[in-house]
Structure formats: structure tokens, C-alpha cells
Amino acid sequence: MNIAVIGLSHKTAPVQIREKLSIPTAQTGDAIAHLTHCPHIDEVSILSTCNRLEIHIVTEETEQGIREVTQFLSEHSGLPLHELRQHLFILLHQDAVNHLMRVAAGLDSLVLGEGQILAQVKHAHQLAQQHKSIGRVLDRLLKQSLTAGKRVRSETSIGTGAVSISSAAVELARMKVPHLNSCHVSILGAGKMARLLVQHLVSKESCTITILNRTIDRANELARQFPDADIRTGTLDAMLDTVQICDVMFTCTSATEPLLHRDNLEPLVEANRTLMLFDIAVPLNVHTNANELNNVHAFNVDDLKAVVAQNQASRRRMAMEAQVLLDQEVESFMDWWRSLDTVGTISSLRSKVETIREQELEKALSRLGSEFAEKHQEVIEALTRGIVNKILHDPMVQLRAQRDIEARKRAMQTLHVLFDLEPASNEKYS
């Protein structure tokens, strides 16, 4: 059985491609159901964020399992396979394990060390548990990746002052709009990214902010978190009216189709003013054709790379420190994963020795007589169990600890021959 990761990210695909592959939470259940019904996929989890889509699988037939995933991605996105493949990365075995831990630690993020990804990996794990699509391998890998991510944040300084996608968007706005402080700023959406936008805006600016959301309650709840800021709220029904009065708009809703585009913006934006749009949603909330209007300037998550690059150099040393911790976590997982090969042999050996113990104990007790046997059976039983456990302990520990695959196979074969063990069923993924 093998672990594989198939996906794409900000490193391999532009946002226009990533938005086609994005799988919203509401659709994750259907996607998981589709993949679990594929004949060569035994376990599966899905991680979908604005900067990546990854599908993690456990498969006995690696090539066929990967083919089933890529076929699903092609059908889901509407992209032909030949176009899709140029954007995909495929990682196997230890490379896949290392990658997922790097992702959880924020080392593979657009913003190096950003913390939101850890919660997203946790969410992916919860969804996979909810839909019963993971077994002992992916469950262990996702849990250990979360542990690795937490270790990196607590034992290194990579998370100190780490910028998020939202803060990078605010920095980009400050670069593009010299007088942001005096602008009327609006935000579409009221989730985590919107909260971070408000947090970074009010930290340095005193601008008026309007928050529009599908439900007014959530917008009001976000506004209450910043009592000293000048924040107004409304629903998305007021979006086009707000466009007419604001100077800068950030968009971060979960809409699957663009909310703003050339056709609905053109009649609203007067020739004597400029509208700046900063779209950090995937799928995009602002259609790329908005830039066809002379007085509209739209930016998306891919435009944040220049801002992020300014902070990357100082963080690379911290990333190297973090990788040392991740190497430990990867090796720990690999030791555990390798040890699963030995489960069947160890089970057969213990079963054989236990049968011998029970047979010999029964003979001994019958010779001792019923009165003695009843009085001392518990002590004698404990004695024989202890002897068996002590004899088996070292061989089992050594077998599990053997990292060389061929040496481990030879050791298992030797045990089967020496103890005449029955061929064990593969319990590795049961």
C-alpha cells in the first residue's frame, strides 16, 4: 500500500486554473464519495484552499489510483487531461508525507509561515472522518501533520508576525492607493479572511469600512469585534449601491461565480473616479474582464506575490529551523508506517506461542491435581504469560525497528520458517 498526493497550488497553476479545481466544503462530501468508489483508492482526504487543491490517497495500485484521481479532477474542472497535467504535482511515499507536513506548518504557503493553513488541514481531516473516507494510515498522517504544524509554531519563530493573505492584500492596497486612510473601504464577506482584513486595516488606518455579507447577523458580529472602528454593515443585496460610493473594495466570499464583472460595473463607476478591487477569493469574486474598464483596477491573489516576496528573505532561515523539526516528525511517521508490514507476522508468532503456552499449561495443571491447580492457577498463568512476553519482546521490537525494507522482509521470512507460521493475512490496513 502506498501514499500519494495529487494536486496543484499557487506554485504550479494561476488562479484562473485553481478556481476551476476548487472544491467548496458543501461539495466535498460528493467528491469524497466519488473517489472512495474508485476501485483502486482505499483512503482519501481533500484539502481545498484559495492557494491549493490536494487529494491525498492510500492505494495498493499507485499508477491506477493516481489515474483515477486525475480523471476525477479533469471531470470536476472541465479541463482536458492534457491541459490539466501541466499544472499538477504528484508526490509519492515519503515525499508525500513530507509535503503534507510542510503544508500544515505553512512552509509551502504563498505567505511563508501563515497560520490559517493549519486550521484548513484540520478541517480536511474532520471532513474525511465525517465521511468515513480515511483509515488508519491517512488518519495517522493527518494527525501527525497537525502535530508537526503546531510544533513548528510553538518551537520556532516562523509564526511571529507572519502575514496572512489578508494582510498581504491590505499591504498591496496601501501600495496602490496612497491615501487609503481617507478612502471609503468596503468588504464583501464576513468570514475569517474578512476579519483579518478589518484587523489589518484598523491597525494603521482610520478609514470608513462597510461590511456586506449574505447574512446581516454575521456582518454585525464581525463589526462588534472592532468597537472603536467606523464600520457599517449590510447584506450583499446592497453590493452595487456600495460600489457607487466606495473607493476600495476587498472581496472574500465563498461565491462560486464572479459577483462583479464588466457588465454590472460599467454603469456604476463614473469616469471621474477610480475603483480599486482586491479579490482574495478562490473561485474569483471579480471577473478578470473588470480590468477592461479604464477606471477600474482589479487585483487577485496572484498579484500578492510581489508583496509577499519582500517578507520571504528574512523568513527563510526560520523555515530551515522548522524543517529540522519536520524531519523528525516525518521519520517518526515513516517508522510507524514501516512497522505495519510486521503486524501480520507478529500476530501469527504471538498466536502460535500463545497456543503452545495454553496447551502446556493445561498439561501441567492436570498433573498437579485439581486442588493445587485451583489454588495456584492464577499465579502459574501469570508466570507463563510473563515468560512468553519476555521471550517475544526483543524479536518484536527489533522487527518493528528494522528500517531496511529487504532486511525486514528477510527477518519475517526467517520467523515464518523457524516457527512454521501460517501465512498471515495482511493486517496493515484493516
Side-chain angles (χ1 to χ4, degrees), residues 55-70:
I55 296 181
H56 320 117
I57 64 170
V58 171
T59 174
E60 198 165 347
E61 301 291 341
T62 306
E63 188 175 335
Q64 290 91 330
I66 291 171
R67 186 180 297 118
E68 287 166 356
V69 172
T70 53

Side-chain angles (χ1 to χ4, degrees), residues 154-284:
S154 63
E155 297 179 36
T156 75
S157 54
I158 196 166
T160 305
V163 291
S164 62
I165 295 295
S166 298
S167 65
V170 172
E171 287 302 315
L172 181 61
R174 289 193 177 109
M175 291 167 56
K176 301 294 182 180
V177 186
H179 306 293
L180 187 61
N181 193 54
S182 60
C183 291
H184 184 161
V185 176
S186 59
I187 299 173
L188 304 188
K192 290 180 181 178
M193 296 181 86
R195 180 180 61 78
L196 290 170
L197 282 170
V198 177
Q199 179 180 316
H200 291 290
L201 281 167
V202 301
S203 67
K204 294 183 181 179
E205 314 292 343
S206 58
C207 51
T208 299
I209 301 173
T210 298
I211 300 173
L212 303 181
N213 191 56
R214 184 174 57 83
T215 59
I216 188 67
D217 289 345
R218 194 165 184 186
N220 290 336
E221 181 185 343
L222 176 54
R224 283 194 292 271
Q225 295 178 36
F226 301 91
D228 297 329
D230 180 10
I231 299 179
R232 307 165 189 179
T233 61
T235 65
L236 288 175
D237 294 335
M239 178 182 68
L240 296 181
D241 291 334
T242 304
V243 167
Q244 291 183 290
I245 61 171
C246 75
D247 307 294
V248 175
M249 179 173 280
F250 295 91
T251 62
C252 53
T253 80
S254 58
T256 56
E257 297 292 336
L259 301 175
L260 297 170
H261 44 78
R262 181 186 57 201
D263 294 342
N264 64 2
L265 288 172
E266 188 170 17
L268 302 176
V269 183
E270 299 169 2
N272 61 350
R273 75 181 185 95
T274 299
L275 175 64
M276 308 294 286
L277 301 173
F278 298 89
D279 183 9
I280 55 174
V282 177
L284 294 173

